Amino acid sequence: MRRRLAVLAAVPLIFTAAACGTAEPTSSPSAAAASGVKVAGNLNAKPTVTFPSGTPAAKSSFEVINAGTGPAIKSGDKLIVNLTVYDWDGKSNAFQGSSYDSKQPETIAIDQQLPKVLQDGFVKVKHGGRLLAVMAADAAPQQQQQQAQPTKVFVLDVVGGAPVPLKSATGEETKESIKGVKVVNPGGEKAPTLTTKTGDKPSKELVVKTVIKGTGKPVAANQTLDVHYTGKIWGTDKQFDSSWERGQPANFPLSGVIQGWQKGLVGVPVGSRVVMSIPPDLGYGAQEQNGIPANSTLVFVVDVLAAY
């Protein structure tokens, strides 16, 4: 995936989501139907995929398996999908994973960073629809097309649209703080200032304090979040990451990040701003990570903008 988030323990293998929709299957041929790949099975469940014999398709294509009956999809939308993935090599055609197995949501932004075959395919279905996409070497950036990669086959079930995230934390300031850490709230949609240069010793336990208390629903462990955040190292004030500086909130399944985030953000109301001191055993431990020294205590100020 294209997101860069220092707190991610690992990039998920596949897009994921919980599915819904009850439209009756319909078939709409496209430039893609010539691939010969067949998709069977009901919506709301992992599909069955069968492959034709012979050489895999060399050209990317898509096919509308189920048009869906919900709202139309357009460029710029952010979708929640269920995704099933195969490597089509003409031999084992290995199954790579499915969100129906992992049960972890994933969002896809329909924008210019998405492969063209997916941009074109998604706008041909509606919410509740199912799309087959075959991504061959021509879908890769030109500099990578000479590298031998298996053709990818995706079956995507569109669950619906992701909620529009807040711009920043909203609510009342609580005056809560962590000793040795300073958070300044400038107000409005501006980024908070985090200062972690201190002679105080960090706690060996996870510490989470609410700086601004939001009024949304509490975050659940199985949800996907949109957040703005800044991360620094305790004692040095060294910043190692900031979504604010990139100008775009981060989006990720909560189950896919370090334990400090998983434990610290569950139960936090959407719209809140929290500051967290995360000990090494709930962060990166004894391993240096992206310029963060081993055994560092991490400090984050996090705005929870959406959870779904």
Side-chain angles (χ1 to χ4, degrees):
M1 295 296 292
R2 55 184 177 268
R3 58 181 178 254
R4 176 187 176 275
L5 179 59
V7 296
L8 279 175
V11 177
L13 173 65
I14 57 174
F15 303 104
T16 54
C20 62
T22 57
E24 291 299 317
T26 60
S27 180
S28 175
S30 70
S35 71
V37 176
K38 302 295 183 182
V39 179
N42 297 325
L43 293 176
N44 304 315
K46 186 165 63 175
T48 299
V49 179
T50 55
F51 295 85
S53 59
T55 304
K59 185 176 181 180
S60 298
S61 59
F62 70 86
E63 180 180 354
V64 176
I65 304 300
N66 185 305
T69 59
I73 296 169
K74 63 184 184 300
S75 179
D77 286 354
K78 183 181 285 187
L79 303 178
I80 303 174
V81 301
N82 261 320
L83 178 67
T84 301
V85 188
Y86 285 83
D87 278 351
W88 184 10
D89 61 2
K91 299 175 184 177
S92 62
N93 302 324
F95 170 70
Q96 295 298 304
S98 175
S99 61
Y100 286 109
D101 295 330
S102 65
K103 296 181 174 60
Q104 292 184 344
E106 180 71 38
T107 57
I108 304 177
I110 312 304
D111 58 24
Q112 295 301 310
Q113 297 184 62
L114 200 64
K116 186 67 162 55
V117 64
L118 292 179
Q119 294 181 50
D120 293 344
F122 272 122
V123 298
K124 300 297 184 182
V125 298
K126 298 178 179 181
H127 292 191
R130 171 171 283 181
L131 181 70
L132 166 68
V134 175
M135 291 177 59
D138 63 339
Q142 190 168 3
Q143 65 270 23
Q144 298 178 12
Q145 291 184 13
Q146 301 303 316
Q147 302 175 7
Q149 296 288 338
T151 295
K152 296 283 187 181
V153 172
F154 302 89
V155 181
L156 305 107
D157 291 352
V158 181
V159 177
V164 177
L166 300 169
K167 298 295 185 181
S168 63
T170 59
E172 295 185 3
E173 293 190 37
T174 66
K175 307 301 182 182
E176 290 187 6
S177 63
I178 297 174
K179 185 180 179 183
V181 174
K182 184 178 181 181
V183 177
V184 176
N185 301 308
E189 298 176 2
K190 296 180 180 179
T193 301
L194 174 66
T195 303
T196 63
K197 188 172 180 60
T198 177
D200 291 314
K201 297 293 184 181
S203 173
K204 295 182 179 180
E205 306 295 329
L206 173 68
V207 181
V208 182
K209 296 293 184 180
T210 300
V211 178
I212 295 175
K213 187 173 183 179
T215 58
K217 293 183 178 180
V219 170
N222 64 347
Q223 288 185 306
T224 291
L225 305 186
D226 285 326
V227 304
H228 258 319
Y229 68 95
T230 297
K232 290 188 173 184
I233 298 172
W234 182 285
T236 69
D237 207 41
K238 178 184 177 182
Q239 179 175 301
F240 55 84
D241 202 4
S242 173
S243 64
W244 290 99
E245 291 189 357
R246 291 194 295 277
Q248 183 176 0
N251 171 267
F252 54 87
L254 184 56
S255 61
V257 296
I258 58 174
Q259 286 291 309
W261 278 58
Q262 293 185 43
K263 294 177 181 294
L265 293 182
V266 167
V268 172
V270 172
S272 298
R273 173 173 293 160
V274 298
V275 60
M276 301 189 292
S277 171
I278 301 177
D281 63 322
L282 297 179
Y284 295 120
Q287 297 295 320
E288 184 273 342
Q289 182 82 17
N290 296 328
I292 301 171
N295 297 311
S296 291
T297 294
L298 311 178
V299 182
F300 290 93
V301 58
V302 182
D303 285 17
V304 180
L305 307 178
Y308 48 95

